[in-house]
Amino acid sequence: MKIEKNIPAQSLCDLTISNLSVWFTDVEVLKNISINFKKNKVNCIIGPSGSGKSTLLRSLNRINDDVHKIKTSGTIHFNNENILQKNQDVTKLRKNIGMVFQSPCVFPKSISENVTFGIQQHRKLSKAEKTSIVEQNLKRVSLWPEVHTRLHQSGNILSIGQQQRLCIARTLAVQPKIILMDEPTSSLDPLSTRAIENLMITLKETYTVILVTHDINQAKRVSDHVFFICNGELIEEGAKNHFFNAPQREETKEYLKDEACIC
Ligand SMILES: Nc1ncnc2c1ncn2[C@@H]1O[C@H](COP(=O)(O)OP(=O)(O)O)[C@@H](O)[C@H]1O
Ligand SMILES: [Mg+2]
């Protein structure tokens, strides 16, 4: 299947997927996918439920490794290294490519310990460093005004929307280059959803964001570049306005019209 591509080289980030296929047992759930992600943009992966979006995202920081009977072919290059190689240091990879999950994963620890939890897996922090990292990263996710008087209380007492921002702060504290987000607002109310969406738009100034969403309207609000995945195939990709206003393939038109999948 031919995919239209017309992207200036300088806008490409250091993360490139080439001919990626993934099988669970003998079912091929990703079929020969090739993608160049765009640097300092919100790269949005959309598609129906079960189309392979999470599998694709989870391949990028090797979280799929834990799945029994998975087989992968193709390459994913990050900083000129194929991260699918057996000898890849996955801890280092996950430091560079952080992930935010569908439901906030707050640890049963204080708000401040939640922020520093990830970075402390990589290095020991002094007390002064901890204080500064906590403040800096809670400010980045606009949570500081809401929590600065109770940093030693448990992260679990926060609302779900605040918890998701706390998880993003924890991801940012590790200073990744790329942030993967798998339907990060699906458990949130509309107000918290907007807060996270606004945050994504700010984050792209510093990071490359790769967002999986099944919400077409969310993709319209936050994306710069869209990849449409259906039935494990990359059907079409394009810059936001072009993708939504002038989709080329029938499959994309049907999906954008009423989320119907004719792949
Ligand atoms: N751990 C797994 N073992 C077997 N099949 C899986 C596993 N994870 C996902 N799948 C299957 O792979 C396909 C793609 O799933 P997924 O990537 O989660 O899709 P999406 O995120 O688009 O909803 C689905 O058919 C799903 O059932
Ligand atoms: Mg999913």
Side-chain angles (χ1 to χ4, degrees):
M1 193 171 282
K2 192 175 176 303
I3 306 294
E4 283 196 30
K5 284 182 183 165
N6 183 16
I7 306 143
Q10 70 273 17
S11 66
L12 302 178
C13 86
D14 303 326
L15 188 64
T16 305
I17 304 177
S18 304
N19 307 108
L20 178 71
S21 296
V22 174
W23 292 260
F24 289 129
T25 319
D26 352 339
V27 183
E28 189 177 16
V29 296
L30 290 180
K31 302 168 185 166
N32 202 30
I33 302 244
S34 295
I35 287 179
N36 285 307
F37 290 105
K38 316 295 170 287
K39 197 172 187 163
N40 293 105
K41 304 281 181 204
V42 178
N43 295 265
C44 212
I45 300 169
I46 64 166
S49 180
S51 57
K53 303 181 299 297
S54 295
T55 305
L56 177 61
L57 201 70
R58 294 161 72 90
S59 300
L60 299 175
N61 66 351
R62 298 265 306 256
I63 295 188
N64 282 334
D65 283 15
D66 304 336
V67 177
H68 188 52
K69 290 199 173 161
I70 188 172
K71 199 180 98 192
T72 302
S73 72
T75 60
I76 301 176
H77 279 91
F78 174 63
N79 287 342
N80 301 319
E81 261 179 54
N82 179 13
I83 62 164
L84 296 181
Q85 287 180 103
K86 281 213 164 59
N87 63 356
Q88 171 67 46
D89 176 346
V90 284
T91 309
K92 189 173 136 212
L93 176 69
R94 289 173 194 162
K95 182 181 181 305
N96 284 314
I97 306 182
M99 185 148 185
V100 177
F101 296 90
Q102 201 161 348
S103 305
C105 174
V106 167
F107 302 126
K109 290 173 176 291
S110 71
I111 292 170
S112 56
E113 284 167 328
N114 263 281
V115 177
T116 53
F117 184 86
I119 191 166
Q120 285 189 297
Q121 309 300 307
H122 300 285
R123 66 187 176 94
K124 207 167 157 24
L125 302 174
S126 68
K127 200 160 178 268
E129 266 183 307
K130 274 188 206 166
T131 307
S132 143
I133 287 170
V134 168
E135 178 171 349
Q136 196 186 354
N137 289 289
L138 287 173
K139 281 184 173 168
R140 277 181 169 160
V141 299
S142 308
L143 200 53
W144 180 252
E146 292 157 60
V147 301
H148 76 278
T149 55
R150 48 188 176 129
L151 294 174
H152 300 295
Q153 289 182 7
S154 168
N156 291 315
I157 61 162
L158 299 175
S159 73
I160 297 292
Q162 288 172 324
Q163 288 189 17
Q164 192 60 305
R165 279 186 282 153
L166 179 60
C167 292
I168 297 173
R170 184 172 60 215
T171 303
L172 299 183
V174 182
Q175 296 187 301
K177 305 273 185 305
I178 294 171
I179 301 174
L180 311 177
M181 294 184 158
D182 194 354
E183 312 215 11
T185 61
S186 59
S187 56
L188 306 188
D189 60 89
L191 207 64
S192 306
T193 296
R194 288 307 170 100
I196 303 274
E197 289 179 357
N198 291 338
L199 179 58
M200 287 176 205
I201 292 166
T202 342
L203 289 179
K204 73 181 180 187
E205 289 166 19
T206 317
Y207 311 92
T208 296
V209 178
I210 305 176
L211 167 72
V212 159
T213 181
H214 65 262
D215 180 346
I216 294 172
N217 288 319
Q218 178 167 74
K220 285 183 181 167
R221 288 193 293 269
V222 302
S223 70
D224 295 294
H225 201 91
V226 186
F227 301 88
F228 172 47
I229 307 267
C230 194
N231 198 18
E233 284 184 60
L234 176 60
I235 304 293
E236 184 165 351
E237 66 161 291
K240 175 170 69 180
N241 289 340
H242 190 261
F243 181 87
F244 285 114
N245 298 330
Q248 302 295 300
R249 301 190 63 95
E250 282 312 309
E251 294 93 329
T252 318
K253 289 177 194 168
E254 283 296 320
Y255 184 68
L256 293 181
K257 199 168 68 187
D258 53 13
E259 299 190 26
C261 168
I262 56 162
C263 307

